[in-house]
Amino acid sequence: NIVLQVVGSLVVALILNQSFRGRDFIRNWVILPWVLPTVVVAIVWKWILDPTHGVANYLLTNLGLVAEPVQFLASPQWAMPTTIFINAWRWVPYFSIILLAALQTIQRELYEAAAIDGASTWSQFRYITLPVISPVLNVVILNSLLWSVNIFDTIWLLTRGGPIDYTTTLPIYIYKKAFQEFRFGEASAASVIMFLGLLLIVVVYLRKLFREGEEIGGL
């Protein structure tokens, strides 16, 4: 989830930062997947991926890419990758808007000077773009990490943790233990473990960011 969301949002932001026809229209509507209610997203994607009447399987079979319909949400092989893709599809627009705002703070003169000096596009991205947007990018990574660990509604509406627990994440596990099996002790213990794990991740990550900030400030 983190890789798809961060890399995908950075690519989308870089594209939207370029000048092309229809850019303003796309900028206005790219956020649509994120603003849609989760239940709407789940229902639409379940319809698209339906093995009998879904658009995805219709296209795949007619193009000859698969011999028979793919059970995207009911197959142990495809359930988790499909759920990850849908969740990333929903959150990439949100993060891309944040990164686009960071990209627009970069002065164009820096790229012009680098181009005059013979810097390639990759060099400009590596030595100008990434350092400038790194504080915002770090926040995006941290948010993506926390929200990916905490995700419940999308997975529950799509697969309810199945098939055979292949998409049962820790929040799904806690919910099942507490409200389906009524084993509140195990659910409470898992909740505490999850809280401590997330707290440790946040503390370690924030210390890393503060050290990087101090080093940059010292330079």
Side-chain angles (χ1 to χ4, degrees):
N1 248 321
I2 298 169
V3 172
L4 284 180
Q5 289 178 8
V6 175
V7 175
S9 59
L10 181 57
V11 171
V12 172
L14 289 171
I15 294 174
L16 294 179
N17 197 42
Q18 305 300 315
S19 297
F20 58 88
R21 188 175 182 180
R23 183 186 65 176
D24 293 338
F25 175 81
I26 296 176
R27 282 182 176 180
N28 291 331
W29 288 98
V30 71
I31 198 67
L32 182 62
W34 180 72
V35 300
L36 289 174
T38 306
V39 66
V40 174
V41 173
I43 291 174
V44 169
W45 274 105
K46 289 182 77 170
W47 175 79
I48 293 174
L49 301 175
D50 185 86
T52 305
H53 306 291
V55 177
N57 274 300
Y58 174 81
L59 294 175
L60 291 174
T61 52
N62 279 274
L63 292 174
L65 298 178
V66 295
E68 57 184 15
V70 180
Q71 302 283 342
F72 285 102
L73 296 174
S75 167
Q77 178 183 0
W78 290 102
M80 180 60 81
T82 303
T83 306
I84 290 173
F85 170 78
I86 294 173
N87 187 62
W89 171 85
R90 189 183 181 201
W91 283 98
V92 160
Y94 173 76
F95 290 132
S96 65
I97 294 298
I98 296 175
L99 292 175
L100 176 61
L103 289 172
Q104 291 184 332
T105 63
I106 304 176
Q107 298 179 357
R108 304 304 304 178
E109 290 79 5
L110 296 176
Y111 293 109
E112 294 173 359
I116 293 174
D117 291 338
S120 63
T121 303
W122 169 250
S123 297
Q124 294 178 32
F125 173 76
R126 181 179 178 183
Y127 296 108
I128 298 177
T129 305
L130 277 183
V132 174
I133 69 170
S134 60
V136 178
L137 188 61
N138 286 326
V139 173
V140 168
I141 293 173
L142 181 60
N143 285 335
S144 177
L145 170 64
L146 296 177
W147 291 341
S148 295
V149 174
N150 289 321
I151 182 174
F152 172 84
D153 49 0
T154 302
I155 299 176
W156 186 255
L157 291 170
L158 289 172
T159 65
R160 295 187 180 273
I164 323 174
D165 291 335
Y166 271 84
T167 57
T168 296
T169 57
L170 198 50
I172 300 291
Y173 172 85
I174 294 171
Y175 178 84
K176 286 183 175 180
K177 288 296 179 183
F179 300 107
Q180 290 187 342
E181 302 177 17
F182 301 105
R183 301 167 71 172
F184 295 104
E186 293 184 22
S188 299
S191 300
V192 172
I193 292 173
M194 181 177 175
F195 167 75
L196 294 176
L198 288 176
L199 181 62
L200 178 62
I201 292 173
V202 171
V203 169
V204 172
Y205 195 79
L206 289 179
R207 288 187 63 183
K208 175 179 177 296
L209 294 184
F210 288 146
R211 283 199 301 268
E212 291 179 355
E214 291 175 356
E215 291 175 359
I216 294 175
L219 293 177

